[in-house]
Amino acid sequence: MNNSDPSFALAPQDKLKVFISSTIGECAEERTHAAAGVRATNHEPILFEKLGARPYAPRDVYLSRLRQSQRVVAIYKKQYGYIDIDGGMDISGLEDEYRNTRSFGLPILVFVNKDGKDRDPRLQALIDEVMSSDANATVAFYEHPTELNDLVKD
């Protein structure tokens, strides 16, 4: 069943699956607080690092979970992320998740760290694109990772 299919409906007791996208190492604390905010709204956060070992390529795993999600939370700080050149990629997994979020028509909450100093220019270009041309995106800024718990809940 496709998430953008109008016949797709959740019963009131069903939990939304909320995919959390960010660089994993750099945003470990942010991911923890965002996941807590999702759980506080009685929904289910989808975190790549919690999926465990899989015999599949990482891209196949995150795209599978992204397709199963109804919302996306993206957290952008300074790093653009890893580009799997051997896997034929020319963009990072972070940008790939964003591009696929758009193609799947999923609503996305984008949280951008206010400290843009030393931000990778490719990530800044992605942030600029989101802010200027993505009608499905809601963008907010944060200073400290703990803010994400309340920002996600709100």
Side-chain angles (χ1 to χ4, degrees):
M1 183 174 293
N2 183 333
N3 295 358
S4 62
D5 182 344
S7 67
F8 179 77
L10 292 172
Q13 71 274 15
D14 291 339
K15 293 183 178 195
L16 293 174
K17 290 183 176 149
V18 181
F19 187 91
I20 299 180
S21 173
S22 74
T23 52
I24 293 174
E26 175 191 36
C27 294
E29 190 176 356
E30 284 90 341
R31 293 171 70 78
T32 297
H33 289 287
V38 170
R39 282 188 206 95
T41 60
N42 199 33
H43 296 300
E44 180 183 348
I46 305 299
L47 296 158
F48 184 82
E49 65 272 26
K50 301 292 185 190
L51 298 176
R54 303 271 186 228
Y56 310 107
R59 183 172 192 259
D60 293 339
V61 175
Y62 69 71
L63 287 180
S64 168
R65 294 312 186 275
L66 186 60
R67 279 187 200 97
Q68 296 170 20
S69 300
Q70 289 81 38
R71 301 282 184 277
V72 175
V73 168
I75 304 165
Y76 300 150
K77 198 169 183 179
K78 293 182 186 270
Q79 297 175 0
Y80 176 69
Y82 174 73
I83 301 171
D84 183 9
I85 296 169
D86 294 335
M89 298 297 293
D90 60 356
I91 59 174
S92 71
L94 186 74
E95 183 169 345
D96 190 38
E97 289 169 351
Y98 171 72
R99 301 260 172 245
N100 280 283
T101 295
R102 287 186 71 187
S103 73
F104 298 157
L106 296 172
I108 183 170
L109 300 171
V110 179
F111 298 103
V112 179
N113 187 271
K114 288 181 181 177
D115 181 8
K117 183 180 174 206
D118 301 322
R119 183 173 286 144
D120 186 303
R122 294 167 295 184
L123 178 58
Q124 187 60 56
L126 180 62
I127 292 166
D128 293 344
E129 176 185 338
V130 171
M131 292 180 63
S132 67
S133 66
D134 192 338
N136 282 331
T138 300
V139 180
F141 294 86
Y142 75 97
E143 286 185 69
H144 193 272
T146 57
E147 294 173 57
L148 291 173
N149 188 317
D150 288 334
L151 287 170
V152 168
K153 283 190 296 190
D154 292 344

